[in-house]
Amino acid sequence: MSFPVAEEAIQNTTEEVEDIVDPWNVASTSDKGVDYDKLIRRFGSSKISPELIARIESIIKKPVHYFIRRGIFFSHRDLELILNAYEQKKPFFLYTGRGPSSEAMHLGHLIPFIMTKWLQDVFDVPLVIQMTDDEKFLWKDITIEDANRYAYENAKDIIACGFDPTKTFIFSDFDFMAQCPNFYRNICRIQKSVTFNQVKGIFGFTESDCIGKIAFPAIQAAPSVSSSFPFIFGEKLKQEFACLIPCAIDQDPYFRMTRDVAPRLNFPKPALMHSTFFPALQGAKSKMAASDTNSAIFLTDTPKQVKDKVNKHAFSGGKETIEEHRAKGGDCDVDVSYQYLRYFMEDDERLEQIRQDYSSGKLLTGELKKILIEVLQGLVAKHQERRKEITLDVVRQFMTPRQLNFRY
Amino acid sequence: MSFPVAEEAIQNTTEEVEDIVDPWNVASTSDKGVDYDKLIRRFGSSKISPELIARIESIIKKPVHYFIRRGIFFSHRDLELILNAYEQKKPFFLYTGRGPSSEAMHLGHLIPFIMTKWLQDVFDVPLVIQMTDDEKFLWKDITIEDANRYAYENAKDIIACGFDPTKTFIFSDFDFMAQCPNFYRNICRIQKSVTFNQVKGIFGFTESDCIGKIAFPAIQAAPSVSSSFPFIFGEKLKQEFACLIPCAIDQDPYFRMTRDVAPRLNFPKPALMHSTFFPALQGAKSKMAASDTNSAIFLTDTPKQVKDKVNKHAFSGGKETIEEHRAKGGDCDVDVSYQYLRYFMEDDERLEQIRQDYSSGKLLTGELKKILIEVLQGLVAKHQERRKEITLDVVRQFMTPRQLNFRY
């Protein structure tokens, strides 16, 4: 699993070019990035509508997270069924993941975890987090030892998001495979139900792909099945539990496949909540890559690095001159600083004021960047402080197979 | 892994039809079965020549097993390198396996284990035996629970062949995957080095095959790598050990693939010893199937069942009438009773006498069958007696990951 970012800009043509969204590529020809309404239609998922948000709020008796309110988590599959289960006091569990491709994570990688932590707190349910070190070994030019080490390092950043240790199980595929006999068994059940033709259609695999890649989708599918974790559920595992997966929408193909095979295997179909893609500093059309340290704010960046990166690289929706900007205003839809504030400024009113002021030209790009720099410096510093406390012993605690706490 | 048997007879045509030999099908148009010399040329393996046999005997200072002398193990890859290692007092290990497709095993299933036990005794080396319960689940219409249970039941028959518990590790894929982190890691290394195109070419997989089958060859390849079993070798595992695999020749494709990827992964290429196919009672052209109890002598058969099956079903190379038989003699090459004696009558001189007498017409089919019945009744009864002693506790002992005894 990985939180993806927009691919390098594609040449605009006169024809309408479809956005490319799959687990390894996200590419759009528009400065605004991917057309998410179109993507919902193409993927056949459902929009998180104002009505659905109202229903969630009436059930949890408080406002939804601003990620949902602002359309950062914008799409879903069967979220209603999870709400029904919750209302009927039937437990469910959360599942998300991370592809540990390098030692350092960037801001965008936090999005699914921030959402997931909120869901865990609100619904009081267990959570499993898959570190797909096997996937990263298969797809990238890294050793198993490095991929596995990144899994443990990244787990520290994930734990620093504040997950409840009594309700959260984190696992590396390489290690968990040798810890729980049910995991490989469920993987085989799924692998028996999916043909090469199907993964070719869903993921675009070719005959030149290695057989590890071809078989991998079952490994990302298996954690959506509660019986892969008998120790978590203990005696309560008389039947499979429902599963809700918060993830970036590029991961949807894995779970379309999972939902497709689930009925044949008597597994419940996992429900999903999809997020948009966090843009690169250079804008929604360019690629945010761990290899290009200037394309993203890393969780290891110093305050000065945060400031310099935003000032130098954050794509601006402002006008060429101050005079023109004052007269015509900036374009929030393409302005990366404003977009980043949508993700990380919790205060709705202040954000709306900034939007109005920037759009009207009252707020200049430099001023907007200054606000963002303060927000991000605060966020990154706080993260670093929390992460310092996360020792390898703490990680091992989260990664130990054990029974988790459950509301019902 | 499975010990295969000839597929249903193919219609003879005027064209020359190639024998079909792969891990799931063995079919020949000839009454004599597969043309093994041709197969050696097609597979690119080497014949176990009289010179090689002489070299083995000079090294081990005793005669080779009659399976080798009689050409039942007839082909090899790099057996010389194993002999070199042995002469240089470098240790190696043995690897063989079984696909546990049903609860009962038949006579043919014993061949690789009889050979392997002899090799273990002579060379005093550790042995790993893979029970591919995952393969059987993927290929057949059985549950994981049944495939796993068959693995334990079949292990009793294998242990009854007399393997040294201090030198033998037996494992079920489903269980071992959750016991040893190195196993899945080596599987992934191999899966990363093999493309769909390659397994399509080697195994004839198609796009309609499930992704479990497509990925499986790496699971049969991984046990040929000593680092998949760190506990066996302990501190001696400073570098990979050489591996010798005795198996029926239909399993060769798995290890051609393994040998192909080994150098890229710094794994030594496994050496191989290939056996011919044990014929069905109905002859080398027909199929020996666990589902057809009359096609094979099962290790669970009663003396009466052995007698009846041989008398009723064993394909005869004799002539239509006694007079014609006395005059022209029988054809040992197609006579199943004679062929079975080649596998199970240890006494060379007596076997040769029987061959001469049957070929000359002196020995009648009924008399030949009577000899075979006695041999098989004795063999099966002895096996059943030994198997009775093999409790589940004994199986668990063999299946416990642990350090094994080693000559060097």
Side-chain angles (χ1 to χ4, degrees), chain A residues 159-336:
Chain A
I159 292 167
C161 293
F163 290 105
D164 183 339
T166 71
K167 292 189 172 59
T168 307
F169 175 57
I170 306 179
F171 63 100
S172 124
D173 283 345
F174 278 126
D175 294 335
F176 188 51
M177 198 71 83
Q179 287 178 322
C180 178
N182 285 41
F183 188 42
Y184 179 56
R185 281 166 165 78
N186 277 338
I187 289 167
C188 278
R189 289 187 174 101
I190 297 163
Q191 287 183 339
K192 189 176 179 174
S193 305
V194 178
T195 66
F196 177 78
N197 264 326
Q198 287 171 298
V199 294
K200 183 177 150 184
I202 299 169
F203 300 98
F205 293 148
T206 71
E207 305 207 349
S208 307
D209 277 315
C210 75
I211 59 176
K213 289 184 183 180
I214 291 165
F216 176 76
I219 295 174
Q220 189 157 324
S224 72
V225 186
S226 55
S227 62
S228 297
F229 311 97
F231 49 88
I232 289 182
F233 301 93
E235 285 177 7
K236 290 174 184 165
L237 193 62
K238 279 164 205 142
Q239 56 179 58
E240 298 284 357
F241 283 63
C243 176
L244 172 61
I245 305 172
C247 63
I249 196 162
D250 68 311
Q251 299 296 310
D252 187 65
Y254 284 117
F255 303 116
R256 282 207 298 274
M257 182 197 88
T258 310
R259 290 168 56 87
D260 191 45
V261 302
R264 267 178 288 158
L265 294 169
N266 285 319
F267 296 155
K269 291 183 179 189
L272 288 149
M273 284 177 64
H274 298 125
S275 75
T276 56
F277 306 116
F278 188 72
L281 277 170
Q282 286 77 5
K285 276 203 308 190
S286 70
K287 184 174 175 146
M288 185 159 58
S291 54
D292 177 4
T293 52
N294 286 327
S295 67
I297 306 290
F298 283 83
L299 297 171
T300 46
D301 281 349
T302 62
K304 186 171 180 312
Q305 284 175 313
V306 171
K307 184 181 164 194
D308 290 349
K309 281 187 187 180
V310 171
N311 279 334
K312 275 191 212 159
H313 301 290
F315 183 80
S316 168
K319 296 297 180 290
E320 296 268 314
T321 63
I322 293 187
E323 293 68 34
E324 196 190 346
H325 188 81
R326 293 276 188 225
K328 300 186 180 164
D331 183 352
C332 283
D333 285 348
V334 302
D335 189 282
V336 165

Side-chain angles (χ1 to χ4, degrees), chain A residues 134 136-142 144-145 148 172-175 177-181 184-186 188-200 206-219 257, chain B residues 134 136-142 144-145 148 172-175 177-181 184-186 188-200 206-219 257:
Chain A
D134 51 352
K136 289 301 154 191
F137 167 71
L138 288 167
W139 260 267
K140 291 174 70 87
D141 189 20
I142 55 174
I144 288 179
E145 290 70 26
N148 188 245
S172 124
D173 283 345
F174 278 126
D175 294 335
M177 198 71 83
Q179 287 178 322
C180 178
Y184 179 56
R185 281 166 165 78
N186 277 338
C188 278
R189 289 187 174 101
I190 297 163
Q191 287 183 339
K192 189 176 179 174
S193 305
V194 178
T195 66
F196 177 78
N197 264 326
Q198 287 171 298
V199 294
K200 183 177 150 184
T206 71
E207 305 207 349
S208 307
D209 277 315
C210 75
I211 59 176
K213 289 184 183 180
I214 291 165
F216 176 76
I219 295 174
M257 182 197 88
Chain B
D134 52 353
K136 289 301 153 191
F137 167 71
L138 288 167
W139 260 267
K140 291 175 70 90
D141 189 21
I142 55 173
I144 287 178
E145 290 70 25
N148 188 244
S172 123
D173 283 345
F174 278 128
D175 295 334
M177 197 71 83
Q179 287 177 321
C180 179
Y184 179 56
R185 281 165 164 79
N186 277 339
C188 278
R189 290 186 175 103
I190 297 163
Q191 287 183 339
K192 188 175 179 175
S193 305
V194 178
T195 66
F196 177 78
N197 263 326
Q198 287 171 300
V199 293
K200 182 178 153 186
T206 72
E207 305 207 348
S208 308
D209 277 315
C210 76
I211 59 175
K213 288 184 182 179
I214 291 164
F216 176 76
I219 295 173
M257 183 198 88

Side-chain angles (χ1 to χ4, degrees), chain B residues 5 15 35 88 91-92 102 209 246 290 295 351 405:
Chain B
V5 285
E15 311 157 51
D35 183 331
Q88 294 160 22
F92 65 95
S102 66
D209 277 315
S295 67
L351 181 69
N405 273 359

Side-chain angles (χ1 to χ4, degrees), chain B residues 36-87:
Chain B
Y36 291 106
D37 284 330
K38 253 193 204 163
L39 204 58
I40 283 179
R41 287 195 298 275
R42 225 172 82 204
F43 281 13
S45 62
S46 308
K47 195 157 186 160
I48 298 183
S49 64
E51 293 73 29
L52 184 56
I53 293 176
R55 184 175 167 209
I56 300 172
E57 293 185 331
S58 89
I59 290 173
I60 65 173
K61 298 182 181 60
K62 60 174 166 178
V64 294
H65 192 272
Y66 69 89
F67 277 4
I68 299 175
R69 212 160 49 233
R70 293 182 193 163
I72 288 169
F73 274 78
F74 70 104
S75 157
H76 77 100
R77 292 182 189 274
D78 281 351
L79 186 52
E80 300 96 341
L81 297 184
I82 295 292
L83 297 174
N84 293 350
Y86 184 77
E87 283 188 312

